[in-house]
Amino acid sequence: MVKTIYDTHGQDACLFIINHADVETIVCNHTKIPFILKNIKRIPHLKCIIQIGELVKEEERKDAKVSGIELLSFSIAEEIGRKNIKEVNPPKPNDIFTICYTSGTTGTPKGAVQTHSNVIADVSGVIRQYNTAGVGFQCGIDVHFSYLPLAHAYERTGVVCMLQSGCRIGFYRGDPQLLFEDIQELKPTFFASVPRIMNKVYDKVMAQVSESKFKSWMFQKGLHAKEADMNKNVFRSNTIWDKVVFKKVQMLFGGRVRAITSGAAPLSPKVMTFFRCAMGDCRIMEGYGQTECTACASLQLPQDMQAGIVGPPLTCNYIKLVDVPEKNYSTKDLKGEVCIKGPNVIPRYHKNPEKTAEALDEDGWLHTGDIGMWLENGALKIIDRKKDIFKLAQGEYVAPGKLENIAQRSPFVAQAFVHGESLKTFVVAILVPDGEVLKKWAAQKNIQGDLKTLCEKEEVRQAVFEDVVRVCKEAELFSFEQVKAVHLHPEAFSVENDLMTATFKIKRPQIIKAFHDVIESLYHEVETKGERPRNEVNLNLEMKGKAGNESNVYTDAR
C-alpha cells in the first residue's frame, strides 16, 4: 500500500499526511531528508527513509540512526528486495492499492482510499474508450510522456494504462521551463494534458501569428480549411496547411502524437478547436473525473466535434444527475449535480467518516459537486460547480469558476480570481495579465514600463477591465455576475507562492488572505462611484433579460 504526497503540499500538509496515514517508510530524494529529520518528533510512526538518487553517506546514516531512523539508499533497498523474494501473493480486489491525498484547495487534505479493484476498473474503462475511439494502445510501440505529479490520480491512471498495455513511459527532468524540450526529445505518441499547458501553447502561437498581417491571414485560412475537414469527421496531417501553417505546432509535441487528452478543468471552445485543427490526425479528447472515482468517469469520443464536452460514461461506471434547487438546476431540463457509481468509486476517505458521508450516499453514489448537462447524443457537459459558489447580498448565487473561465477569454488575462461577499451586491477580480500581450499592446500605445509598472498604470487597468467587460457581455452574463472592478497583479498564481495546488487549482482562502486589502479597496472604489443597490423588482427583471442589454451596469461601476 502506498500513500501519495504532492511535492508541493507544504510542510504542514506533508506532516499531517505522514501522521494521518501512519507512515513507517518514506521514499524521497536527499533534499527532503533534512526536513524530515528536523521534524522527527512530530512523526512518531516513521522508522525508515529510502533515499532516491545519491548514495547515502555513512555520516548521514549515523545522524539518522541517532533519531531512531534507518536511512537507506534506493539501490540498497532494491538489493534487500532481491535477496528476500518471497512467493508471489497477488492482492485481493478490496485490498488497498493507494491512499491518494487530495491537493487541498481548502482545509487539510483528504485521503481517498483507492482499492485494487478501483484502479483495475478505471484503467479498463479508459482503455476500452480509447479502443472505441480508434486510438488504442499499441504494445511496445506507444510512448507516454509523464510530467504531471505522480501523486495526481489523472497521471497515475495514465501510467497504469501504459504499463498494463506494455507501452513505454518517459519522465521529464522536473524543470517546467524545459518541458517542451523534453517532449521533443522523447517524441511521445500519447500526451495527457491540462488546460494550463494547452492554453500556454495557444497563447504563444496566437502571439506569433499576430506579428504580421500575412501570418494572420495564412493562419485564419488554414484554420478555416482544417475546421471544414473536422466538421466532416476528416482528420489528416498531409494537407498544404499542415505543411505551411501547423507543422511547427505539431513538432512542438514531438511530431508523433496520436492522442491528447485534457482533464482537470475545461478547455475553452476556441482552444479546443485550434488544437483539433492544428494537430492533424491526432485525436483531441476531453475527459472528466475525480480522485474519488480513481481519475476518470467519462471520456469524449473524437467523433464528437463539440468543444467543452466530456463524453459518455466509461463502461466501468454509471453517471446520473440530481436536482440542485438552490441553483435552479433540474433533471427535467437534463441538468443537475453529477453523481457517479461503479467499481471505480472509492469506498471511503481514510479515517474520515464525516467527509465520506458527505461525498458518498447510502447507495454508493459519489456526489461530485459539479453541475452537468446531458446532450442529445448521450454525452455529458460540465456547466457549473455546486460547491464553489457564494451568495451575494440580495440572494443571488455566483459560481466564481465559471466567471474566471470567461474572464480568461480576454487575450489580456492569463489567470483570474473572482471574489464576492454576502454583504455586497457585486463581484470583483484579481487578474494576472498575459505579459506578452500586455507589453505588445502597451508598446503600440507608447506606454513605457516593465510588467509590474504597467499593472500599476490606471490607463492599462482600465483597458484590461474594458476587455473583460467585453467578454462578459459576449457570454451574456447576468449583471450580478459581471466583474465591476479589477486589480492587475504581475506575478502568476503558482504552486511556489502557495496560491495554487499541485494540480493547478487556485487556493481561494489563500488568495483572499493575500489580497485582503486589495479586495477591500476594489469594493470601496466601486461603491464610491455609485454602484446602486437593486430592489427585488429590478432583480426579477434582470433575471429575465440578457446582461448585454443593460448598458448602465458598467457605467455605474466606473
Side-chain angles (χ1 to χ4, degrees):
M1 177 173 61
V2 178
K3 291 91 173 182
T4 59
I5 301 178
Y6 285 98
D7 185 51
T8 50
H9 250 132
Q11 294 185 3
D12 290 339
C14 284
L15 292 173
F16 169 81
I17 293 170
I18 292 168
N19 282 320
H20 190 258
D22 300 323
V23 170
E24 295 184 354
T25 300
I26 292 177
V27 182
C28 62
N29 63 33
H30 71 281
T31 63
K32 305 295 188 296
I33 293 175
F35 162 73
I36 297 171
L37 295 179
K38 180 182 177 181
N39 292 278
I40 198 65
K41 292 183 179 179
R42 299 174 63 183
I43 42 180
H45 294 283
L46 187 65
K47 297 178 181 178
C48 179
I49 301 173
I50 298 175
Q51 178 177 298
I52 301 172
E54 299 178 11
L55 292 175
V56 173
K57 297 177 182 178
E58 184 61 25
E59 56 269 28
E60 294 173 334
R61 189 185 64 78
K62 289 180 179 179
D63 289 343
K65 192 172 183 179
V66 171
S67 301
I69 300 298
E70 183 178 13
L71 178 58
L72 300 174
S73 298
F74 196 81
S75 58
I76 299 298
E78 288 180 313
E79 185 62 30
I80 292 172
R82 275 191 289 268
K83 291 179 179 179
N84 293 274
I85 294 177
K86 297 180 180 179
E87 184 179 346
V88 176
N89 183 24
K92 298 179 179 64
N94 291 330
D95 287 346
I96 297 175
F97 173 79
T98 185
I99 300 178
C100 195
Y101 280 85
T102 61
S103 54
T105 53
T106 59
T108 55
K110 302 189 294 289
V113 176
Q114 295 179 353
T115 66
H116 283 268
S117 63
N118 289 155
V119 175
I120 294 302
D122 203 63
V123 166
S124 299
V126 170
I127 291 175
R128 173 67 180 272
Q129 197 77 334
Y130 269 104
N131 289 335
T132 303
V135 286
F137 302 114
Q138 299 176 25
C139 179
I141 297 175
D142 280 319
V143 181
H144 168 66
F145 178 69
S146 177
Y147 70 97
L148 295 172
L150 286 170
H152 195 323
Y154 177 27
E155 179 62 27
R156 288 162 68 89
T157 298
V159 167
V160 176
C161 280
M162 302 306 283
L163 292 174
Q164 183 166 318
S165 303
C167 302
R168 293 174 289 169
I169 303 168
F171 297 89
Y172 92 121
R173 281 174 282 182
D175 185 348
Q177 300 300 320
L178 302 175
L179 183 68
F180 284 97
E181 212 176 278
D182 291 345
I183 292 172
Q184 289 164 51
E185 179 70 25
L186 184 68
K187 295 179 173 55
T189 59
F190 279 84
F191 189 77
S193 188
V194 291
R196 183 182 180 213
I197 299 297
M198 300 182 80
N199 290 339
K200 185 176 180 180
V201 173
Y202 174 80
D203 291 341
K204 184 177 181 180
V205 171
M206 296 307 294
Q208 292 175 349
V209 165
S210 63
E211 290 174 355
S212 76
K213 291 183 178 180
F214 178 72
K215 282 184 180 180
S216 181
W217 177 79
M218 284 288 288
F219 178 82
Q220 291 301 327
K221 288 283 287 184
L223 203 62
H224 290 321
K226 295 289 288 184
E227 192 170 358
D229 276 352
M230 186 182 73
N231 291 332
K232 298 174 185 175
N233 203 26
V234 174
F235 299 89
R236 51 183 177 169
S237 300
N238 58 356
T239 70
I240 185 65
W241 304 111
D242 290 292
K243 296 175 183 178
V244 175
V245 179
F246 300 120
K247 190 66 174 179
K248 287 185 178 180
V249 180
Q250 295 169 14
M251 293 309 297
L252 196 63
F253 289 88
R256 298 200 310 160
V257 180
R258 296 199 296 120
I260 295 177
T261 56
S262 180
L267 270 177
S268 70
K270 65 179 181 182
V271 175
M272 172 63 91
T273 300
F274 162 75
F275 272 98
R276 281 182 167 161
C277 294
M279 292 301 292
D281 57 0
C282 171
R283 304 307 175 97
I284 315 291
M285 301 176 286
E286 284 194 86
Y288 168 76
Q290 295 182 336
T291 302
E292 289 79 357
C293 64
T294 320
C296 191
S298 68
L299 183 63
Q300 186 178 26
L301 293 172
Q303 293 83 1
D304 190 345
M305 291 297 102
Q306 301 176 82
I309 311 301
V310 295
L314 297 184
T315 53
C316 62
N317 57 243
Y318 300 102
I319 295 179
K320 72 173 181 178
L321 305 181
V322 298
D323 292 341
V324 185
E326 66 268 29
K327 296 196 72 177
N328 296 318
Y329 289 119
S330 171
T331 52
K332 293 180 181 178
D333 302 320
L334 301 180
K335 299 177 182 179
E337 182 184 6
V338 178
C339 296
I340 304 166
K341 184 178 181 179
N344 57 331
V345 174
I346 65 167
R348 65 187 181 279
Y349 290 116
H350 186 55
K351 296 181 181 178
N352 202 333
E354 291 184 3
K355 292 296 182 182
T356 300
E358 288 178 15
L360 298 166
D361 64 25
E362 293 179 354
D363 296 321
W365 287 94
L366 169 66
H367 291 250
T368 66
D370 290 313
I371 307 297
M373 176 177 71
W374 288 120
L375 304 181
E376 290 183 359
N377 64 356
L380 180 67
K381 181 177 183 179
I382 305 300
I383 58 174
D384 205 344
R385 180 76 180 152
K386 178 183 177 183
K387 293 180 182 178
D388 293 336
I389 61 174
F390 45 73
K391 186 186 290 186
L392 298 180
Q394 294 183 328
E396 311 99 323
Y397 285 96
V398 174
K402 180 182 77 171
L403 307 187
E404 287 156 2
N405 285 334
I406 290 171
Q408 286 168 186
R409 295 177 187 174
S410 165
F412 288 107
V413 180
Q415 293 175 306
F417 170 78
V418 173
H419 178 75
E421 296 179 5
S422 60
L423 299 178
K424 306 293 184 181
T425 60
F426 57 91
V427 297
V428 296
I430 310 295
L431 305 177
V432 176
D434 184 308
E436 289 185 17
V437 174
L438 191 62
K439 288 177 182 177
K440 184 174 181 179
W441 173 86
Q444 293 172 346
K445 300 292 183 180
N446 292 319
I447 302 174
Q448 304 298 317
D450 58 15
L451 184 59
K452 184 176 184 297
T453 303
L454 292 176
C455 288
E456 294 170 350
K457 292 182 180 291
E458 182 57 31
E459 58 189 314
V460 175
R461 184 171 76 108
Q462 185 65 19
V464 175
F465 172 71
E466 289 175 357
D467 202 60
V468 171
V469 168
R470 176 186 63 79
V471 296
C472 286
K473 285 184 175 181
E474 289 177 356
E476 299 185 331
L477 295 180
F478 294 118
S479 69
F480 65 82
E481 295 178 300
Q482 296 167 357
V483 173
K484 299 297 191 291
V486 302
H487 168 78
L488 303 185
H489 184 62
E491 182 185 358
F493 306 143
S494 68
V495 175
E496 289 71 25
N497 58 28
D498 198 36
L499 298 181
M500 293 189 81
T501 71
T503 53
F504 309 119
K505 298 174 184 175
I506 60 175
K507 294 183 175 181
R508 295 192 177 279
Q510 284 86 334
I511 294 179
I512 292 171
K513 182 178 179 180
F515 291 92
H516 176 269
D517 292 344
V518 171
I519 291 170
E520 290 297 310
S521 68
L522 289 176
Y523 276 120
H524 178 74
E525 173 189 328
V526 176
E527 289 167 343
T528 55
K529 289 183 179 179
E531 170 72 12
R532 298 195 306 269
R534 290 164 282 129
N535 58 35
E536 190 64 33
V537 175
N538 284 341
L539 174 62
N540 289 337
L541 288 171
E542 175 184 283
M543 293 292 285
K544 292 176 183 177
K546 296 295 184 183
N549 296 329
E550 299 175 31
S551 58
N552 67 308
V553 170
Y554 298 103
T555 306
D556 289 349
R558 298 174 197 171

